[in-house]
Amino acid sequence: MNTRAVPALGTLAPPVARILLALGLWQALALLTSSTFILAGPVAVGGHILGNAPLLVRAALTTLQSAAIGFVIGNGLAIALAVIAISLPRLERLVSGLALLLFCLPFVATGPILRVIHGVGDGPQIALAALATYYTSYLCLMVGLRAAPASWLDLVRSYGRGRFTELVRVRARACIPYFIAGLQIGAPAAFLGAMIGEFTGAERGLGVLSIRAMRALDVDMSWAIATLAAAISALAFWFFGWLGRRLDVAPPPLLIAPRQDATSPSWGAGLLAALVQVVAITALVLALWVGLMEALGLSPFFAKRPQDVLAFLVWAPDAAANRSMLLLAFWQTLSLTVPGYLLGLALGAGLAVVMVLRPTLAATALPVAIALRSIPIVTTAPLIVLSLGRGAVGTITIVAVMIFFPTLAACLEGMRRTPRPVLDIFDSYAAGPWQLLVHAQLPAMAPALFAAARMAVPAALLAATTAEWLATGTGMGSLMALTASTSNYALLWSAIVLLAVTASIAYGLVQLLERRMLQIFASEQLTL
């Protein structure tokens, strides 16, 4: 028995040492900054959790319930959309466009509107948790469904089978690792969405406690809530990682697909197709917008229609002043969102590369990265701004923190999906780590990196507006919070439209760049 216990203890020693080191550094930093009242150390946080355990446990369970229901609904919706898109390729762009536009709606604005519609209850929390989750899972599913070996699809077709058999027998199995990655990314996002929903007027939950802690400047309570939320999100992350390792037993296959240069449409034809798509999506969105409001009988006082937004911005007597106010806030937000977005992508992809080159570093860096992403931004944003100031640095840091972990998780999964035959070839030639990285792992990472870059567009706007809403008092986030509290719903809906259109355009630009790169490195991602 002792001979088996010794290696077990030896295996546990390094993680325990790393955890103790991290806690020691955290406590030392808290002592050094004790006069600023920004950071609470693990001793104070642990004592606060133990002293308020019944309250915190009840609140955590309330938020977890809303997040879990929203997580299930969001992923169910993602699966349904992916099945429609992959089964009916002609509808793929339309489905993706609608899904994107819905995902681009800023939580800062949609949360209060959902609260007005639902009233008291868990509806807004669940809805925001589902909205925070479904699109990341949808994107990962689409990447995975396309990552099916062409030879397997040809074999299915040679037997006269159709798309349904392809979907069930080939594509569904190929997408499992990517779907698991989407679940890992979506779990913290669902918890964040539920907490933001609680910010809009819920009666219970960690979001409600966060508001009380911020108003009372209770640093210990703020960090206790952040620690609990991070622990729950990290457990979900590790659970789905474990599940993925249990399901994904086969090595990744080698994907060979013809380059798309010869079959790609000309620029003129591509532009025409894009315009037709934009017109179709716009018409459908407007029809849904008006139709849903009329069907639900929502009051025009707060549920503004498209004509109300146009009147507010174009032909109302004070339209010029409205546009000026909106554009000033929009520029303030955009000027901080873009640097944070680029910084977050660079940090995520760069750290993934470092972890692949130095696998021992991953054991230390990955838990820290998970903790940073798992701590809800609604609790840390005011503290980050308080420590870094209300200027550009604080908001850019918040956006980068929000972006970098999904990028890191996606890039790591992408490099791990480097086909085994390719790795064997490099091994047979005794290639070095850098040669393997540049010629095999980075090309394998390309689809995941661009999927992360697309997901990060609305996430960056969410982070910037949340920071402005809770801490800086500038930009679109502050403007939307102010309009919601003053019942200026025309301005609120105009801000929603402007942010959604901006995110859609930025997403389209990233997608154009993605298609050019994938024509070289992953042509199978351009076919269905």
Side-chain angles (χ1 to χ4, degrees):
M1 179 178 292
N2 290 337
T3 57
R4 298 181 65 179
V6 171
L9 291 175
T11 305
L12 288 176
V16 171
R18 281 193 290 268
I19 291 172
L20 292 176
L21 177 62
L23 291 176
L25 291 174
W26 180 6
Q27 183 64 37
L29 187 60
L31 291 175
L32 288 174
T33 59
S34 59
S35 61
T36 61
F37 300 101
I38 293 175
L39 180 63
V43 175
V45 170
H48 201 86
I49 291 175
L50 290 176
N52 300 274
L55 174 65
L56 288 170
V57 169
R58 284 198 303 272
L61 290 176
T62 300
T63 306
L64 182 61
Q65 178 180 331
S66 300
I69 295 173
F71 183 75
V72 171
I73 294 174
N75 281 287
L77 180 61
I79 293 172
L81 292 175
V83 168
I84 293 173
I86 209 76
S87 304
L88 304 170
R90 289 180 182 276
L91 296 181
E92 192 263 339
R93 289 190 173 186
L94 186 61
V95 171
S96 297
L98 283 175
L100 167 66
L101 201 59
L102 187 61
F103 187 62
C104 290
L105 298 178
F107 285 5
V108 177
T110 52
I113 292 174
L114 287 170
R115 178 62 62 191
V116 173
I117 295 173
H118 284 273
V120 178
D122 297 336
Q125 296 90 297
I126 294 172
L128 290 183
L131 287 174
T133 304
Y134 84 98
Y135 195 69
T136 54
S137 295
Y138 171 73
L139 275 186
C140 292
L141 276 170
M142 291 303 293
V143 172
L145 290 170
R146 289 182 174 121
S151 58
W152 294 5
L153 298 175
D154 291 340
L155 181 62
V156 171
R157 290 164 188 160
S158 68
Y159 280 93
R161 301 293 184 176
R163 285 189 171 273
F164 181 77
T165 305
E166 286 182 11
L167 178 64
V168 175
R169 300 291 184 183
V170 179
R171 294 188 188 275
R173 295 187 180 185
C175 81
I176 288 176
Y178 299 90
F179 184 48
I180 293 294
L183 295 178
Q184 287 183 289
I185 296 172
F191 207 82
L192 171 63
M195 287 191 70
I196 291 179
E198 291 169 350
F199 267 49
T200 61
E203 297 177 337
R204 301 182 302 274
L206 287 181
V208 177
L209 291 185
S210 296
I211 294 176
R212 294 175 184 171
M214 284 188 286
R215 288 175 178 170
L217 298 178
D218 190 341
V219 179
D220 291 348
M221 176 60 97
S222 294
W223 281 99
I225 294 169
T227 303
L228 272 180
I232 293 170
S233 299
L235 282 175
F237 181 90
W238 288 117
F239 169 75
F240 288 119
W242 170 83
L243 184 64
R245 289 189 293 275
R246 298 284 296 178
L247 295 176
D248 184 30
V249 294
L254 178 63
L255 303 179
I256 300 176
R259 287 172 61 93
Q260 299 297 307
D261 305 86
T263 58
S264 296
S266 63
W267 275 100
L271 181 61
L272 179 61
L275 287 176
V276 171
Q277 179 189 355
V278 169
V279 171
I281 292 174
T282 303
L284 188 55
V285 167
L286 292 176
L288 288 173
W289 183 353
V290 176
L292 283 175
M293 288 188 171
E294 296 299 334
L296 296 174
L298 300 179
S299 168
F301 174 71
F302 70 89
K304 299 299 181 184
R305 276 63 170 175
Q307 62 270 24
D308 298 322
V309 173
L310 280 176
F312 182 78
L313 294 176
V314 180
W315 58 70
D318 53 352
N322 296 334
R323 288 197 303 271
S324 176
M325 178 171 50
L326 194 62
L327 291 177
L328 175 62
F330 174 71
W331 172 246
Q332 289 174 340
T333 299
L334 194 64
S335 62
L336 302 179
T337 303
V338 174
Y341 171 80
L342 296 176
L343 179 62
L345 285 182
L347 286 175
L351 188 57
V353 169
V354 172
M355 286 183 177
V356 168
L357 291 175
R358 296 286 184 269
T360 54
L361 183 64
T364 303
L366 194 57
V368 176
I370 294 170
L372 282 175
R373 178 61 180 89
S374 301
I375 298 174
I377 192 172
V378 290
T379 60
T380 55
L383 299 175
I384 292 175
V385 170
L386 192 60
S387 60
L388 298 178
R390 293 177 178 271
V393 176
T395 305
I396 290 173
T397 302
I398 291 169
V399 175
V401 168
M402 186 84 171
I403 298 303
F404 105 97
F405 177 70
T407 307
L408 168 65
C411 290
L412 275 177
E413 182 59 32
M415 284 193 279
R416 285 170 181 160
R417 303 307 298 171
T418 304
R420 171 52 57 189
V422 173
L423 297 176
D424 292 340
I425 290 175
F426 278 80
D427 286 341
S428 67
Y429 283 95
W434 280 103
Q435 291 172 308
L436 180 64
L437 174 72
V438 172
H439 298 291
Q441 291 169 319
L442 288 183
M445 184 186 80
L449 173 61
F450 280 104
R454 283 186 281 144
M455 283 189 288
V457 169
L461 285 171
L462 167 65
T465 52
T466 303
E468 292 166 345
W469 171 34
L470 295 175
T472 66
T474 60
M476 295 290 277
S478 175
L479 183 68
M480 288 188 289
L482 186 63
T483 55
S485 61
T486 58
S487 301
N488 190 352
Y489 291 107
L491 181 55
L492 181 64
W493 282 90
S494 300
I496 292 174
V497 171
L498 181 57
L499 284 177
V501 170
T502 301
S504 301
I505 292 173
Y507 183 97
L509 293 175
V510 175
Q511 195 171 34
L512 280 178
L513 178 61
E514 177 187 34
R515 291 187 68 84
R516 302 293 293 178
M517 297 299 294
L518 294 186
Q519 283 177 351
I520 302 172
F521 296 113
S523 294
E524 77 280 353
Q525 291 293 327
L526 304 178
T527 61
L528 288 177

